[in-house]
Amino acid sequence: MIYEIKKYGSDVLRDKAKDVEKIDDEIKEILDNMVETMYETKGVGLAAPQVGIGKRMFVCDKGDGVVRKVINPKITPLTDDLAECEEGCLSVPGIYKKVRRPEKIKIEYTNIDGESVVEELDDFLAIIMQHENDHLDGVLFVDRVSPIAKRMISRKLQAMKRETRKTEQVEE
Ligand SMILES: [Zn+2]
């Protein structure tokens, strides 16, 4: 099943997501649907809040066909060095801006089989994981761009927010 992606202006994108307590069939199905939705929309990552589900989990594939289903992640930077990368987001369509993030991280999470996984990453996947993890705390990449870039996109974001609010009201 393909989920509808929540867009900038939707409240669920700003909420702090809750820990996944138990990996049951429902959680597995949601994660499967998220993977399907990620591929359908040509994304490299998708977090549960982006499809309106306030749980701490995301899926990603940096482009090599290896899917990760990440549950209750915890990220620790392993360096003060920052990597700058142009980012976009399925929830903020049409906007691409540079963001600086720690270039090397450790991520600890639970996989779909309930096993603890620890990975140290310093490639594109490290950037994706940090971007997706932000979603679980209600943070969007546009919050992390430079002040100049922020000014450049502020009108577009305001318009997007108005549009989202309007659409969500109609749906209610
Ligand atoms: Zn995103």
Side-chain angles (χ1 to χ4, degrees):
M1 180 191 145
I2 308 287
Y3 288 126
E4 189 194 327
I5 309 269
K6 299 288 178 184
K7 300 279 162 52
Y8 187 86
S10 188
D11 288 336
V12 68
L13 292 175
R14 291 308 194 179
D15 293 340
K16 204 170 155 61
K18 296 199 167 58
D19 279 336
V20 176
E21 304 278 346
K22 188 167 163 257
I23 304 167
D24 54 16
D25 288 347
E26 192 195 344
I27 291 291
K28 287 179 186 172
E29 198 185 325
I30 291 170
L31 285 165
D32 283 343
N33 289 337
M34 283 170 59
V35 171
E36 210 182 323
T37 305
M38 172 178 73
Y39 285 135
E40 177 71 19
T41 51
K42 306 204 166 24
V44 291
L46 184 68
Q50 291 184 275
V51 296
I53 297 165
K55 292 197 186 302
R56 301 191 79 79
M57 54 189 198
F58 63 78
V59 298
C60 59
D61 172 356
K62 68 174 176 180
D64 57 6
V66 178
V67 176
R68 282 174 175 77
K69 296 172 179 171
V70 174
I71 299 167
N72 298 337
K74 185 172 160 279
I75 288 181
T76 316
L78 294 178
T79 172
D80 291 332
D81 295 339
L82 301 178
E84 192 175 61
C85 189
E86 189 171 78
E87 296 189 20
C89 180
L90 294 170
S91 295
V92 194
I95 292 179
Y96 300 89
K97 288 287 168 198
K98 284 178 180 157
V99 180
R100 292 158 73 102
R101 301 181 185 273
E103 67 180 8
K104 190 164 188 215
I105 59 156
K106 179 171 85 169
I107 181 164
E108 301 166 82
Y109 62 93
T110 305
N111 71 12
I112 197 77
D113 299 314
E115 299 158 346
S116 294
V117 179
V118 181
E119 291 191 79
E120 288 188 10
L121 303 164
D122 60 0
D123 61 355
F124 186 37
L125 197 52
I127 304 294
I128 298 170
M129 294 269 202
Q130 291 178 82
H131 175 120
E132 299 313 326
N133 191 64
D134 270 352
H135 276 299
L136 310 182
D137 292 321
V139 175
L140 300 172
F141 85 98
V142 290
D143 305 334
R144 294 193 182 278
V145 302
S146 71
I148 292 172
K150 236 177 225 169
R151 278 203 295 280
M152 281 167 59
I153 59 177
S154 73
R155 284 184 143 203
K156 244 184 172 173
L157 289 177
Q158 284 307 317
M160 208 181 286
K161 187 186 265 181
R162 275 197 302 274
E163 191 56 36
T164 301
R165 291 271 155 90
K166 224 162 58 188
T167 315
E168 290 193 346
Q169 263 170 14
V170 171
E171 280 166 3
E172 281 165 14

